[in-house]
Amino acid sequence: MSPLSHALPLPRVLLTGFEPFGGEDVNPSWQAVSLVRDAPPEGVELHAVQLSCVFGRANDELRAAVAEFTPDLVLCVGQAGGRPDLTVERVAVNVDDARIPDNAGNQPIDEPIAPEGPAAYFAPLPVKACVAAVREAGLPASVSQTAGTFVCNHVFYGLAHLAATELPSLRGGFVHVPYAPEQVTARALPSLPVPSMADGLRAIITAALTTEQDLRVAEGATH
């Protein structure tokens, strides 16, 4: 019998990013996810999927990817233009309330994502340990208390609802990344190089897979 036959299977990680939206030519979430796909953290089996920036369709694509790949960890990534750091989301809320149309022209207002679901979910992810890991890698990071009410939150809630109702062993969460530098050449807005975003995502993946109990440190917000 080969010695390799006794080896434990590698943890399976599903990483998702979004297509461009809101008139942008690129979406740094998918750019960073692509870099991680091409050079994943050591000791993981990683699969990456680009999601549509479309209500409903994005969650269908996420569910299909989870069913196909059967991951142990799902990390969804989106763009939060204007934020200066990688933000690990704590709470997903059960509402679609779109300030702008999605890429299919949909603009739901005050609609539940899952009519039978709770008002909100906490991320099934050690969010504070993930933030600490990014900082230890020399990159800016923080806990975010809101993922907005656009397609990013829609997917985050969809993932949390799937874990809560069908896949209780699934760990996962959502990370927002800033603009890439090429998106802000004519605007005075924060940005971060995409390779740095990818390094931060690798740190988050490693922390999520190796942390059983989250850190108990202050990462709250006053407003």
Side-chain angles (χ1 to χ4, degrees):
M1 183 178 293
S2 167
L4 293 178
S5 63
H6 294 287
L8 294 174
L10 296 177
R12 298 165 65 85
V13 177
L14 174 63
L15 201 55
T16 75
F18 282 102
E19 65 183 354
F21 71 98
E24 298 287 344
D25 294 327
V26 298
N27 190 318
S29 71
W30 179 244
Q31 291 178 306
V33 163
S34 298
L35 291 181
V36 179
R37 175 199 60 201
D38 295 342
E42 185 176 356
V44 303
E45 183 180 351
L46 191 141
H47 185 65
V49 172
Q50 185 184 72
L51 302 180
S52 303
C53 190
V54 177
F55 290 102
R57 186 188 305 168
N59 273 349
D60 291 342
E61 293 167 346
L62 175 63
R63 175 180 283 271
V66 169
E68 177 183 0
F69 190 61
T70 60
D72 303 297
L73 171 70
V74 180
L75 190 64
C76 299
V77 187
Q79 170 191 294
R83 293 188 186 180
D85 55 359
L86 275 73
T87 49
V88 184
E89 299 296 341
R90 192 204 296 255
V91 185
V93 295
N94 190 10
V95 64
D96 291 333
D97 191 6
R99 182 177 56 81
I100 61 173
D102 68 13
N103 283 356
N106 305 307
Q107 195 170 2
I109 297 175
D110 297 340
E111 294 183 10
I113 300 165
E116 76 287 3
Y121 286 111
F122 286 111
L125 191 76
V127 293
K128 293 182 178 181
C130 290
V131 166
V134 177
R135 291 173 179 163
E136 288 171 8
L139 298 166
S142 61
V143 174
S144 170
Q145 317 302 330
T146 173
T149 55
F150 197 52
V151 184
C152 287
N153 176 75
H154 181 86
V155 165
F156 181 21
Y157 188 92
L159 172 63
H161 190 62
L162 178 63
T165 59
E166 300 179 40
L167 300 171
S169 64
L170 183 65
R171 303 190 87 186
F174 199 99
V175 178
H176 270 117
V177 297
Y179 280 131
E182 64 265 31
Q183 294 177 282
V184 298
T185 54
R187 298 176 286 182
L189 291 170
S191 67
L192 194 67
V194 172
S196 296
M197 298 181 196
D199 288 340
L201 294 179
R202 293 186 188 98
I204 290 170
I205 290 169
T206 300
L209 290 172
T210 57
T211 304
E212 292 296 326
Q213 185 170 351
D214 203 4
L215 300 177
R216 188 172 175 82
V217 296
E219 291 285 354
T222 58
H223 59 277

